[in-house]
Amino acid sequence: MYSHLPPEQPPEITSPPYPLSVKHAVLEDLFNVSYWLWRLNPPSVLPVMLGSAVEVLKQSIIVVTIMLSLMQLAAAGIFKALADAIGTGDLSKLVLTIAPVVPTLIIMIAVSVFVFFLASILAGGFLNSAEYGSYLRLLHHGRLSTGDIFEEMRLRWTRMAWTVLVVETIKILPMLIALASIFLDVLSLSSISSDPLAIMNKLLLWLGLVMLALFFTIVLTVLTVYAYPSAADEAYGFNAVRRSIGTCLRLPVNTAAYCILRVLSVILVGFVAFLAGLLGVQLSSIATVVLSFIVTPVFHIFKTMLFLKGKPEPVLAPLPVGPPLSKDVFPHVLSTGVKRVRRGFSELVDFLAEPRNIVLHFSSALVFSLGVVLGKQLSSSGIRQIVYALGYVPGGVNPLFEASYGLPFLALDISFHNWQVSLATALSGIIFIAPVLATLVFNGFILGIVEDIVQNLTMFLAAILPHGIIELPAFIIAGSAGLKLGLEFFKALRRGGLNSNPEFYKTLRETIYIILGLVPLFVIAGILETFITPYIMRLYGWR
């Protein structure tokens, strides 16, 4: 079906030499096979990338709600009233001013919560189909293509969305019950004695309810750990939950080992980033990249393999031969990363040189500029006065730039953060373009607010231009790549679907490589922002 697509595996890959009996394999072998299947099949990372695009979609819903709410408050004069109230200490005036717009804000927030929930369920259907359906294919055949991933999404996303709704509802049900009980208790507080001991007992009861709910949430999370692989294996909704529980009961030690390893991996990466932060070294964005592109896909393939191990009938999986993970992962990531960034830079040059893309670059820059104008206008409606009333005085340099020994890591952290945002923004174009536009507007919006708060164009430019000359165009290019991907997705749907449109897959791969090509630009911008921008800021009045 997808023979028109160019091969995506490295040329040295050959067919797996012999099958592995999943049912009788030890965990170490299963984990090593999971790593090598990820290692030899680069498309296995695509579901994680699409997950970052979905996060942009969900953030866009929040962003749009915030922007509309701020505009509503600005139109009602709330911000100026709030600034006056903070300055004079008279909060009664603020209450009278904000009361008329409260119903509108409540309706707006309620609609946004519903849209956010609906988007999360539908997106979960697509993503879990793309991920676990693809990983089942990978475990059965040893190879995975981009076309396989989108085919899995097409085949089962509706039933997977139903499974997501069932599973996530089951997991949060204990906490919802506990919070509802506490809420009912709060409503009846007027009948509670003012005795401190009674109040303390009530607080301890609430804490106990929350802890009990948390315990059951953890238990249910473990019992449903195989629900999405089950759904990819044609058991949906409550059937997926039942099959997951059955797998847990058949493999209690393996399931416990998986959960412990998964939690420990996240804790380890997070702890390293936290410890580095205490020492003035920022690694959070680098840790996120490691979790997203290495740890998460390998563990999810491993979990899918455990699901196959728990099936009554024996399952054979392809066994790639290679050195242990610990000896291969770092050299592979380094060498492959350099090669793909180099190819990405070539794709980026071609993308910029193509005359047909000029309108995309212009549109991306225009949307970003619109956000700057909106942010500046909204800030002048009272946000600036609120910031000043709270005691902020423009002219202070971020203290993160003071710890000189951690600056190289801070530069890398800033670079990887901006690159992740750009990757997610570009790929979110596949979700009907809207998240790309919302992200462009919001980033410009923040920039416009900052410009208005600083109230000194020279100081503002000193803080933005040294690194912004590279960073802002790079982000706008990511936006234009997302617009192109979204337009190609629309064309593919209009022509009858993705299966018969190799141009869409070509554009998707180009988009990923274009963002990889932006890595050097973001690294240079991060270095400038860390080492050069603070120096120039101080030359022009910053402290």
Side-chain angles (χ1 to χ4, degrees):
M1 183 182 297
Y2 298 100
S3 57
H4 54 270
L5 296 176
E8 300 180 4
Q9 287 81 14
E12 71 270 18
I13 294 178
T14 58
S15 299
Y18 57 89
L20 170 73
S21 175
V22 177
K23 184 175 287 293
H24 301 101
V26 298
L27 286 182
E28 183 180 357
D29 289 339
L30 293 181
F31 193 78
N32 202 49
V33 169
S34 301
Y35 165 75
W36 273 96
L37 288 174
W38 165 84
R39 158 86 155 79
L40 299 176
N41 292 271
S44 62
V45 183
L46 183 58
V48 178
M49 292 183 174
L50 294 177
S52 68
V54 168
E55 289 303 313
V56 173
L57 169 65
K58 294 193 284 189
Q59 290 169 14
S60 298
I61 295 171
I62 298 172
V63 161
V64 170
T65 303
I66 291 174
M67 291 180 64
L68 292 177
S69 300
L70 291 176
M71 290 177 183
Q72 182 74 22
L73 293 171
I78 300 299
F79 293 132
K80 291 183 178 179
L82 179 57
D84 292 340
I86 293 175
T88 61
D90 183 11
L91 297 181
S92 59
K93 180 181 178 182
L94 173 63
V95 173
L96 293 175
T97 306
I98 201 173
V101 299
V102 168
T104 304
L105 291 177
I106 291 175
I107 293 174
M108 193 179 301
I109 293 172
V111 171
S112 299
V113 168
F114 173 77
V115 173
F116 185 91
F117 175 77
L118 182 63
S120 299
I121 297 300
L122 295 178
F126 281 108
L127 288 179
N128 286 296
S129 297
E131 188 168 30
Y132 293 102
S134 301
Y135 293 164
L136 275 179
R137 285 198 186 202
L138 178 59
L139 291 173
H140 286 304
H141 305 295
R143 291 179 180 274
L144 184 66
S145 70
T146 303
D148 292 334
I149 294 172
F150 282 93
E151 178 69 3
E152 288 294 330
M153 292 169 67
R154 184 187 68 82
L155 288 175
R156 64 181 83 250
W157 74 268
T158 52
R159 291 169 294 179
M160 186 65 82
W162 162 241
T163 306
V164 172
L165 178 61
V166 169
V167 171
E168 298 307 315
T169 300
I170 288 174
K171 288 196 291 189
I172 67 172
L173 193 59
M175 192 60 68
L176 289 178
I177 293 174
L179 293 177
S181 300
I182 293 172
F183 178 72
L184 292 175
D185 261 0
V186 170
L187 292 180
S188 61
L189 277 179
S190 57
S191 61
I192 296 178
S193 169
S194 58
D195 180 13
L197 182 60
I199 296 176
M200 181 60 68
N201 289 336
K202 182 62 69 174
L203 291 175
L204 290 175
L205 175 62
W206 292 347
L207 179 61
L209 279 174
V210 171
M211 296 301 293
L212 186 63
L214 184 61
F215 170 76
F216 280 109
T217 298
I218 293 173
V219 171
L220 292 173
T221 300
V222 172
L223 291 176
T224 57
V225 71
Y226 302 109
Y228 297 136
S230 299
D233 198 42
E234 304 296 336
Y236 300 99
F238 292 102
N239 288 331
V241 174
R242 282 194 290 269
R243 187 184 282 191
S244 177
I245 294 173
T247 304
C248 290
L249 295 177
R250 283 191 292 273
L251 301 173
V253 176
N254 293 329
T255 301
Y258 165 79
C259 293
I260 292 171
L261 287 173
R262 186 73 176 97
V263 171
L264 286 178
S265 68
V266 175
I267 291 175
L268 178 62
V269 175
F271 177 74
V272 170
F274 173 74
L275 186 62
L278 294 179
L279 299 174
V281 177
Q282 298 300 311
L283 295 176
S284 57
S285 295
I286 299 174
T288 302
V289 171
V290 171
L291 280 173
S292 298
F293 298 108
I294 302 176
V295 176
T296 297
V298 170
F299 267 99
H300 285 188
I301 295 172
F302 180 48
K303 177 170 67 176
T304 307
M305 193 171 286
L306 287 179
F307 165 73
L308 294 179
K309 182 180 176 70
K311 295 186 72 170
E313 66 276 10
V315 178
L316 299 179
L319 176 60
V321 175
L325 179 154
S326 58
K327 296 182 179 179
D328 180 80
V329 61
F330 295 110
H332 166 70
V333 169
L334 184 61
S335 62
T336 304
V338 171
K339 291 177 184 177
R340 296 192 183 280
V341 168
R342 189 178 301 163
R343 176 180 168 182
F345 194 78
S346 176
E347 295 276 1
L348 173 62
V349 172
D350 293 340
F351 180 65
L352 294 175
E354 176 59 52
R356 290 179 300 177
N357 296 329
I358 293 177
V359 66
L360 297 173
H361 305 324
F362 177 78
S363 300
S364 181
L366 183 63
V367 173
F368 181 83
S369 301
L370 176 63
V372 174
V373 173
L374 288 175
K376 187 173 181 178
Q377 180 180 1
L378 190 63
S379 179
S380 63
S381 300
I383 292 180
R384 172 175 18 98
Q385 291 90 328
I386 293 175
V387 173
Y388 288 169
L390 291 172
Y392 173 75
V393 178
V397 177
N398 192 327
L400 282 175
F401 296 103
E402 301 296 334
S404 58
Y405 59 88
L407 290 182
F409 294 97
L410 178 60
L412 283 177
D413 194 68
I414 291 172
S415 304
F416 275 101
H417 171 75
N418 292 333
W419 178 77
Q420 284 177 268
V421 172
S422 295
L423 174 66
T425 300
L427 290 179
S428 70
I430 201 174
I431 313 175
F432 303 104
I433 296 180
V436 179
L437 301 176
T439 305
L440 287 168
V441 169
F442 185 69
N443 280 272
F445 183 78
I446 296 299
L447 196 62
I449 290 178
V450 172
E451 179 189 358
D452 186 69
I453 289 175
V454 172
Q455 285 288 293
N456 185 311
L457 183 60
T458 301
M459 292 178 66
F460 173 75
L461 294 178
I464 297 299
L465 283 186
H467 61 279
I469 290 176
I470 298 175
E471 182 179 296
L472 294 180
F475 178 69
I476 289 171
I477 291 169
S480 61
L483 294 178
K484 182 177 181 179
L485 179 63
L487 292 174
E488 202 59 53
F489 182 71
F490 275 118
K491 291 178 184 178
L493 293 180
R494 194 169 64 247
R495 292 170 184 165
L498 302 179
N499 295 3
S500 57
N501 284 274
E503 191 64 30
F504 167 73
Y505 294 102
K506 178 175 178 290
T507 303
L508 176 61
R509 280 197 293 276
E510 286 178 351
T511 301
I512 294 173
Y513 275 112
I514 286 167
I515 304 305
L516 285 171
L518 291 174
V519 168
L521 299 183
F522 281 118
V523 169
I524 294 171
I527 292 172
L528 290 175
E529 184 174 356
T530 304
F531 292 98
I532 306 299
T533 298
Y535 175 75
I536 294 178
M537 289 171 68
R538 291 186 181 95
L539 289 179
Y540 287 91
W542 292 83
R543 299 178 300 280

